Amino acid sequence: MVRKETQIPYFEEQNISTVIGDLEKELSGVVKGMDEVIFAAGSGGDTSDQRTVDIDENGAKSLIDASVDSNVEKFVMLSSMGTDQPDSIPSLKQYLKSKKVADEYLKSSGLTYSIVKPGMLTNDEGKSEIQAKERLNKSGKIPRNDVAKVIVQSLNSDILKNKEVEILEGQTEIGLALTNI
């Protein structure tokens, strides 16, 4: 799903079909005919609290509702570490609260889901090696590339079926790390 028509050619060049949609608008038909949905949107660090709620909470809930209505088989949510203690990071407080509300909404939706909770995202080159547990009880960072690989693997297997997982950079190959959850 893309918001702007100008984004479509990039995906068409890679043989990827797209639909136009906006998390701040009606989404009822946007996932019709799809088997799997990944919610990887984020409001960004410089948005207002209200825009964070609109995108990370209400936009996610709207896409979850559309997925339920369209009988989507699996929904993967990109969330964040720290949602269990949003007050611990004042600058991310509203973001973490909104992510937690969306995570809980997904868990109660009846959809088969995976919730992926990375630490601080970096643009470092991924190594395809991570640490992964339902609760790591520590903070750290992880390359975006490795997060994307975790999300894709969670689509294609039952490893993270109806589970949440926290992930950080590590020394265990992604598939093995996820199998051990």
Side-chain angles (χ1 to χ4, degrees):
M1 181 176 91
V2 296
R3 282 187 302 158
K4 302 173 189 168
E5 285 190 39
T6 57
Q7 296 170 303
I8 294 173
Y10 170 82
F11 293 99
E12 284 179 342
E13 289 172 8
Q14 299 177 63
N15 268 347
I16 298 171
S17 300
T18 59
V19 295
I20 299 278
D22 187 329
L23 292 171
E24 296 178 272
K25 297 183 179 169
E26 174 61 36
L27 294 175
S28 61
V30 75
V31 295
K32 205 165 270 317
M34 294 185 189
D35 297 325
E36 302 160 331
V37 171
I38 297 170
F39 184 90
S43 57
D46 297 328
T47 58
S48 68
D49 284 353
Q50 185 56 55
R51 186 119 198 265
T52 299
V53 170
D54 290 344
I55 294 170
D56 296 292
E57 185 175 325
N58 296 333
K61 289 164 73 174
S62 182
L63 193 60
I64 291 164
D65 290 342
S67 297
V68 169
D69 292 344
S70 295
N71 298 313
V72 165
E73 293 174 17
K74 181 126 187 214
F75 193 106
V76 179
M77 176 73 78
L78 176 58
S79 185
S80 177
M81 291 178 75
T83 58
D84 52 341
Q85 297 177 334
D87 294 331
S88 66
I89 308 172
S91 63
L92 295 177
K93 182 177 178 177
Q94 186 57 59
Y95 173 78
L96 295 172
K97 282 183 173 185
S98 291
K99 286 293 189 186
K100 180 166 183 71
V101 169
D103 294 348
E104 295 303 319
Y105 193 80
L106 175 58
K107 289 192 281 188
S108 68
S109 71
L111 290 169
T112 298
Y113 68 86
S114 296
I115 299 173
V116 178
K117 297 180 165 189
M120 185 180 76
L121 300 176
T122 71
N123 292 321
D124 297 341
E125 186 175 329
K127 300 183 307 180
S128 297
E129 295 177 339
I130 62 169
Q131 302 173 57
K133 284 189 177 179
E134 288 187 38
R135 294 286 175 265
L136 285 169
N137 297 315
K138 60 181 168 179
S139 61
K141 60 184 182 171
I142 185 166
R144 285 177 167 81
N145 190 325
D146 286 341
V147 174
K149 290 175 183 177
V150 169
I151 289 170
V152 169
Q153 286 199 25
S154 69
L155 277 176
N156 298 321
S157 70
D158 285 337
I159 291 172
L160 298 177
K161 182 179 179 180
N162 297 331
K163 290 186 179 180
E164 297 177 64
V165 62
E166 292 183 350
I167 57 173
L168 296 171
E169 63 186 358
Q171 284 138 9
T172 305
E173 187 274 323
I174 290 173
L176 182 58
L178 298 179
T179 302
N180 292 328
I181 302 282

